[in-house]
């Protein structure tokens, strides 16, 4: 299921137009969203545990090699082709290379399709020779239909294994993005749990839920709600998400 994408891949006119429109819409949005789930309205201070440590900065080389690990959104579901998924588009935005490891249906508790395994099981099989400059762990909303029993333990074990395979490599956790609006309470709960666990490690956490990456104004073109898309991002939506991730990583760079 692992694919590689290199920088400078051509993007379609539709993707570029969608990205430009998305940025314009985001800049115009108000700070308060009455349609957002009450469960999602949690500040970063409330999300993290009391013993949270300082968040590490992310200092990337000029042409970084980035491992993007996640679920169907990372795989590129609903894009015109998986190569137009956000994880692949991100390579060009970073002027580097992305190693894309996305499995539809996979989560910390839920195994991916065809028995490929949970996040922890997939991490255990990863190649330690990849040598990424950065690891992005995305998602997952796939765990939202299960109770939270054992969730924190599964996340902790998966992240411990990842840090053991790639010691010293910075990790950024990209939380789940809402596939429907208003944000489901279970998705908001996963977002809070992951934010707290990342804060305890000092790992940067990016929250599409709290930062309201997907709103009613842009939902129709960012998300494909049809029988094929099944509430996954369109090609334009993937390009928009890639830009948001790139901007978030830029904000994590150490001050010069």
């Amino acid at each position: 299921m692992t694919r590689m994408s290199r920088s400078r891949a051509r993007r379609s006119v539709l993707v570029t137009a969608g990205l430009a429109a998305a940025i314009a819409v985001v800049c115009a949005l108000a700070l308060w969203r009455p349609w957002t789930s009450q469960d999602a309205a949690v500040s970063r201070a409330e999300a993290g545990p009391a013993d949270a440590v300082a968040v590490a900065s992310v200092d990337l080389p000029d042409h970084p090699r980035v491992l993007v690990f996640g679920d169907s959104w990372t795989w590129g579901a609903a894009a015109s082709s998986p190569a137009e998924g956000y994880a692949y588009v991100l390579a060009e935005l970073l002027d580097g290379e992305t190693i894309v490891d996305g499995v539809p249906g996979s989560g910390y508790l839920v195994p991916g399709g065809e028995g490929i395994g949970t996040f922890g099981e997939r991490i255990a099989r990863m190649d330690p020779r990849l040598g990424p400059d950065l690891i992005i762990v995305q998602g997952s909303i796939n765990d939202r239909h299960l109770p939270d029993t054992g969730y924190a333990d599964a996340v902790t074990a998966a992240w411990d294994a990842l840090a053991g395979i790639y010691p010293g490599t910075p990790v950024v956790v990209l939380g789940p993005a809402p596939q429907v609006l208003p944000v489901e309470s279970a998705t908001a709960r996963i977002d809070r749990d992951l934010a707290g666990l990342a804060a305890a490690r000092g790992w940067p956490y990016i929250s599409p839920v709290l930062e309201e990456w997907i709103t009613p104004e842009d939902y129709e073109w960012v998300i494909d709600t049809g029988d094929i898309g099944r509430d996954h991002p369109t090609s334009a939506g993937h390009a928009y998400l890639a830009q948001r991730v790139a901007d978030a990583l830029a904000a994590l760079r150490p001050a010069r």
Side-chain angles (χ1 to χ4, degrees):
M1 289 292 179
T2 300
R3 298 181 179 86
M4 293 189 181
S5 171
R6 298 192 178 273
S7 62
R8 309 187 183 282
R10 287 174 23 185
R11 290 203 236 148
S12 65
V13 173
L14 173 62
V15 173
T16 304
L19 176 57
I23 294 174
V25 168
V26 170
C27 292
L29 294 180
L31 293 177
W32 178 70
R33 303 290 174 200
W35 52 81
T36 301
S37 166
Q38 281 299 106
D39 291 318
V42 178
S43 71
R44 290 191 180 279
E46 292 169 327
D51 59 348
V53 299
V55 176
S57 59
V58 178
D59 193 8
L60 296 178
D62 290 338
H63 307 289
R65 180 176 171 86
V66 181
L67 170 60
V68 188
F69 179 94
D71 56 25
S72 56
W73 289 50
T74 293
W75 182 78
S80 297
S81 72
E84 291 186 7
Y86 86 90
Y88 298 91
V89 177
L90 183 63
E92 181 177 355
L93 297 178
L94 298 179
D95 193 18
E97 174 187 3
T98 51
I99 307 164
V100 181
D101 189 343
V103 173
S106 184
Y108 288 100
L109 296 176
V110 178
E114 301 178 0
I116 292 175
T118 63
F119 276 19
E121 291 167 336
R122 290 167 52 204
I123 288 171
R125 298 193 299 266
M126 296 182 75
D127 186 354
R129 298 169 297 179
L130 290 178
D133 298 306
L134 172 69
I135 301 170
I136 298 175
V137 182
Q138 171 267 325
S140 170
I141 60 173
N142 293 323
D143 293 312
R144 71 191 186 282
H145 296 309
L146 295 179
D148 60 0
T149 304
Y151 183 76
D153 290 339
V155 174
T156 297
W159 290 359
D160 284 348
L162 189 64
I165 295 171
Y166 304 107
T169 302
V171 178
V172 172
V173 181
L174 174 61
Q179 85 288 9
V180 295
L181 293 177
V183 178
E184 293 178 319
S185 60
T187 300
R189 184 260 301 169
I190 289 172
D191 184 62
R192 291 195 303 272
D193 289 348
L194 292 176
L197 292 167
R201 292 172 179 258
W203 287 2
Y205 185 77
I206 302 171
S207 174
V209 171
L210 287 183
E211 296 176 14
E212 297 175 345
W213 286 11
I214 300 174
T215 68
E217 286 89 345
D218 54 38
Y219 181 83
E220 290 188 0
W221 66 264
V222 171
I223 301 296
D224 183 347
T225 60
D227 293 337
I228 296 178
R230 299 175 61 188
D231 298 337
H232 287 83
T234 62
S235 289
H238 274 287
Y240 163 65
L241 293 174
Q243 185 64 62
R244 293 301 300 256
V245 173
D247 291 344
L249 292 178
L252 291 171
R253 292 179 180 270
R256 299 297 184 185

